[in-house]
Amino acid sequence: MSSPVLPTYADVEAAAARIAGVAHCTPVLTSSTADALVGARVFFKCENFQRMGAFKFRGGYNAISKLTPAQKQAGVLTFSSGNHAQAIALAAKLLGVSATIVMPLDAPAAKRAATEGYGGKVVTYDRYKEDRAAVARALQEKTGAVLIPPYDHDDVIAGQGTAAKELIEEVGQLDYLLTPLGGGGLLSGSLLSAGALSPACKVYGVEPEAGNDGQQSLRKGEVVRIDTPKTLADGAATPYLGDITFPIIKQRVTDIVTVSDAQLVQTMKFFAERMKMVVEPTGCLAAAAVLQKVVSLPAGARVGVVLSGGNVDLAAYGKLLAG
Ligand SMILES: *Cc1c(COP(=O)(O)O)cnc(C)c1O
């Protein structure tokens, strides 16, 4: 297989210009309690306050805005029941493009409603009987819509990299940067930005313990596929990294570490109680690695942490917090 031409920091800069004034430049928050706990200076990049509630708006909007007029006319298509679905639905609506989202029949009603609320057309399939890729392909053939995958796509990666770009531009050089890791769009984009703007920064990806395919892949030097893991971090329950995201990660990442579901719950409680913020379990991955000292940090280190999203099912969230 020929190696792909990988996106670069110039693509992140171009993405930043495209999303300017549309995506929120999210706040960077600090907490003296967090700093005291870890003995470092921690900067939380709050993508839980991004439009539609997660960083995925950045990549989705960048990818759709790059389409040709003919492609925009044909519409976009994706398969996801999570934040990427909402990101594509909202970005498409803002750009006057129609969006079709392929979702399992049994996707949570709240997620379906949110996607439809942003104007996305939801097409369901039976995940026990049908293959979603085949369903998407059939739709694509019928409508000519452009498929925008959740992470393994140059323009998606470049868009996701804008969050770390904003963070470093706002707070200055970092010694460490940690991001959640699912399929690797966020981590690979962040690596491009950190490499250009804060080259000495050590960058870590953080996965759920039950789904450490990224860590296994890094150790083995090739993409390792696992069964879809069971974890509270549903946004990072991806069973393998991408053909574009993995080479970037392999080349540049310092390491990939894991945290348990219990550590995610502790971290959600920390944000609710101390910082008055709702952060979804997946959004807590990187913060959990810092606050629960999974990564040891030298005293006084300057540490960037991406809080990747804040979309929760309130009933489930309440139960976790009360437990
Ligand atoms: C999608 C998602 C992730 C994982 O991002 P990848 O680009 O797939 O690694 C992390 N956190 C949240 C909230 C997400 O929606």
Side-chain angles (χ1 to χ4, degrees):
M1 210 183 75
S2 64
S3 16
V5 178
L6 300 176
T8 67
Y9 180 64
D11 299 308
V12 180
E13 286 183 303
R18 271 181 219 109
I19 69 170
V22 185
H24 296 319
C25 180
T26 51
V28 177
L29 299 187
T30 58
S31 153
S32 49
T33 309
D35 288 359
L37 198 69
V38 299
R41 186 93 176 104
V42 186
F43 302 95
F44 296 106
K45 176 66 171 168
C46 295
E47 287 296 296
N48 51 322
F49 296 140
Q50 186 50 266
R51 290 184 81 159
M52 57 60 56
F55 72 93
K56 286 214 173 66
F57 180 73
R58 296 172 180 272
Y61 190 88
N62 185 48
I64 299 174
S65 52
K66 272 193 75 181
L67 298 177
T68 65
Q71 288 173 317
K72 283 183 178 155
Q73 184 64 35
V76 294
L77 172 72
T78 195
F79 39 82
S80 162
S81 51
N83 288 331
H84 180 65
Q86 293 174 50
I88 290 299
L90 176 59
K93 184 173 90 169
L94 293 171
L95 289 160
V97 171
S98 76
T100 305
I101 318 293
V102 180
M103 264 188 202
L105 261 172
D106 55 351
K111 291 200 164 162
R112 181 174 175 162
T115 304
E116 287 174 336
Y118 289 125
K121 179 170 170 251
V122 173
V123 172
T124 55
Y125 71 101
D126 182 342
R127 65 193 174 111
Y128 301 102
K129 292 186 185 147
E130 294 174 281
D131 171 36
R132 68 175 188 178
V135 174
R137 219 167 23 242
L139 274 170
Q140 220 180 342
E141 275 164 20
K142 202 168 87 186
T143 62
V146 181
L147 179 69
I148 305 199
Y151 55 86
D152 209 25
H153 186 290
D154 288 3
D155 303 327
V156 171
I157 293 168
Q160 318 307 33
T162 59
K165 175 180 186 290
E166 286 173 14
L167 169 61
I168 298 166
E169 284 174 348
E170 180 169 338
V171 307
Q173 297 291 301
L174 293 172
D175 300 311
Y176 291 80
L177 173 64
L178 294 93
T179 82
L181 170 59
L186 178 61
L187 177 59
S188 56
S190 302
L191 284 162
L192 298 178
S193 292
L197 300 176
S198 189
C201 179
K202 295 185 168 70
V203 182
Y204 288 75
V206 187
E207 284 184 313
E209 199 172 84
N212 72 335
D213 60 289
Q215 191 180 53
Q216 291 185 44
S217 302
L218 190 66
R219 303 281 181 273
K220 202 166 175 207
E222 63 187 61
V223 175
V224 172
R225 292 175 178 242
I226 61 170
D227 291 334
T228 300
K230 259 194 130 82
T231 166
L232 283 178
D234 56 342
T238 38
Y240 49 86
L241 299 179
D243 294 334
I244 308 169
T245 59
F246 180 62
I248 299 173
I249 292 169
K250 189 173 138 182
Q251 209 170 64
R252 297 171 175 265
V253 82
T254 303
D255 204 0
I256 294 172
V257 298
T258 67
V259 299
S260 67
D261 278 8
Q263 288 173 315
L264 292 176
V265 173
Q266 280 308 110
T267 305
M268 287 166 71
K269 287 182 179 173
F270 175 86
F271 286 125
E273 192 169 37
R274 296 295 182 151
M275 296 180 73
K276 325 304 166 198
M277 281 203 293
V278 177
V279 186
E280 65 184 273
T282 315
C284 286
L285 282 164
V290 169
L291 298 173
Q292 316 274 332
K293 306 186 185 183
V294 173
V295 172
S296 61
L297 301 164
R302 294 169 54 80
V303 185
V305 172
V306 178
L307 305 183
S308 52
N311 291 327
V312 295
D313 174 82
L314 264 192
Y317 179 74
K319 245 187 226 162
L320 288 173
L321 253 54

